[in-house]
Amino acid sequence: MLRSAPALTLALFLGPIVAGLAGTALPAFGYLPALGGHAPSLDPFVRLFEQPGLGRGVALTILSGFAATLLSLAVAAGFCAAAYGTRSFARAQSFLAPLLATPHAALAIGFAFLVAPSGWIARLISPEISGWARPPDLASVNDPWGLALVAGLALKETPYLLLCLTAALGRSDVGRAVTLARTLGYGPFMAWAKIGLPRLYPSIRLPVYAVLAFGLSNVELALILGPTNPPTLAVTIVRWAADPHLDLFFPAAAAALLQLALVLGAIGAWRAGEIVLARAAARWRIAGARGRSPSPWAGLARGALAINFAVAAAALLVLALWSLAAAWRFPDDLPSAWTLANWTREGPRLAAPAGTTLALAALATLLAMALAVACLENESRRGVDGRRALWALYVPLLVPQVAFLIGAQALLVALGADGAFAALVWAHLIFVLPYVFLALAEPWRDFDPRYARAAACLGAGPTRVFFAIKLPMLLRPLLAAAAIGFAVSTALYLPTLFAGAGRWTTLTTEAVALASGGDRRVLAVYAFAQAALPLLVYGAALALPAWLHRNRRGMR
């Protein structure tokens, strides 16, 4: 049974991607099996490149994706260099879980409430400082240069890369190498720049590529914060694919293949940049500059991460304020009247998408946990090193969602499974499984086998050892992985949109749909509920082991 787990897992989450890419490629060349199709042709690509604004949309996609990735990596790596081994580094790690649990859409909506012309920042400085008695005519959200989109992406991806860096630190001897460099007279920031980061970067290369791929192909943040005329390429694809005129489906599929080519080309360009930078920095690393004096870059990195955390916290706070506001007129700092009517009025309408979100996330997470545990236990019992297949886990994170979800939807239509709840769970499982597996792999592989041997010496079989010894001792990482999977499922937008065929609404799809509306109070209710659900699950995952092990020394 366990021996078949890896093959089954690969089939369940790589099979739909391969089939979806094939289903996208066929209509991209003029053939749609669900409708009988016609002779293959390049007409969809011709129509695609004739679309006005396509070039600018592609340019915005590339610039925003690269800018957000570079900014996120610079802040995360710079903070590690500036603060490793200090109290601020430990404090920063405690803030990572709430930020990572917050869905992209909720954080983007809160960020928009902050930086909009009538946002909270403008209210706090008006009218005494700014002199504004009414909202200024500024394009601070949906700006044509994509600056708000870059900031929103960096707001979410910087904590993720910082988490990846701290996890890589725990699996390496970089700390000792940096300490040795310090004893040779190198300053803390220079020691990290010359010794720490070059050793750590190979461990976070795949996460960086995943961040780049998401920055180039995300839809929900681009809909909320990105430029509108023209929008980014991914938004254009989704709009064409959802158009009631099926004729636009063919250029949408062609655009999806263009999106795939952009992401693959961007990853290739990033890799080439890594090689060039490594060769250029080789001479600098051995040049002898020790950087003993405090580096201004260290203070800048600390300040940038502090701003990131503060803006994220303020984004969640302003969502709560708007959800409780009865009246909040510009330029008042706070609502002039408070009420629970927003929640009581939207409660009945909120129940259905909240229930779907909860059921969908729970089922996808449970399936992902079962598959991940089966694969890892198979590794443990057979003595197989599964790290060689790590690249496979990143395939759903590196391939643009829109590139294969369009084809997957066409295949679901052909199979008559379009809009089925099982198909929706499967679509979420594709993205939940990699995060669950990555979160659980290291704790599972690091489990001391002597506990199992001691139990076996007492007559316990492998099954009893698994349930009575291994699972209870790994309860904390199991719950943490489940919380991560739940948060990932809660945040998914495109898989719900395509696999659900509009029949199933979640808090995410409702929040993104309402983001273009005018009532901030209603939008805040949905966005805050979307953010609160995974945060509650994270809290339960932290509290439950502490409560269960409250009487056990060393288990808290």
Side-chain angles (χ1 to χ4, degrees), residues 400-485:
Q401 295 180 14
V402 72
F404 68 89
L405 285 175
I406 285 182
Q409 184 187 39
L411 292 175
L412 288 173
V413 171
L415 295 172
D418 190 34
F421 191 74
L424 194 55
V425 173
W426 193 3
H428 277 233
L429 178 65
I430 295 171
F431 301 97
V432 171
L433 180 59
Y435 286 99
V436 168
F437 195 101
L438 291 169
L440 194 56
E442 290 305 319
W444 201 276
R445 289 165 180 159
D446 291 341
F447 182 80
D448 193 337
R450 290 176 296 179
Y451 290 109
R453 294 194 195 110
C457 290
L458 296 173
T463 302
R464 187 175 178 186
V465 170
F466 176 76
F467 285 103
I469 304 295
K470 206 164 193 178
L471 287 185
M473 294 189 70
L474 291 173
L475 178 63
R476 191 183 298 274
L478 282 166
L479 291 176
I484 291 171

Side-chain angles (χ1 to χ4, degrees), residues 74-93:
V75 173
F79 181 78
C80 280
Y84 177 70
T86 65
R87 290 183 179 179
S88 59
F89 189 80
R91 284 197 297 267
Q93 288 179 283

Side-chain angles (χ1 to χ4, degrees), residues 360-387:
L360 188 56
L363 286 172
T365 302
L366 285 173
L367 286 172
M369 291 288 292
L371 291 169
V373 168
C375 290
L376 291 169
E377 185 63 11
N378 178 65
E379 281 185 25
S380 177
R381 295 189 187 184
R382 296 180 60 197
V384 178
D385 187 3
R387 293 179 178 88

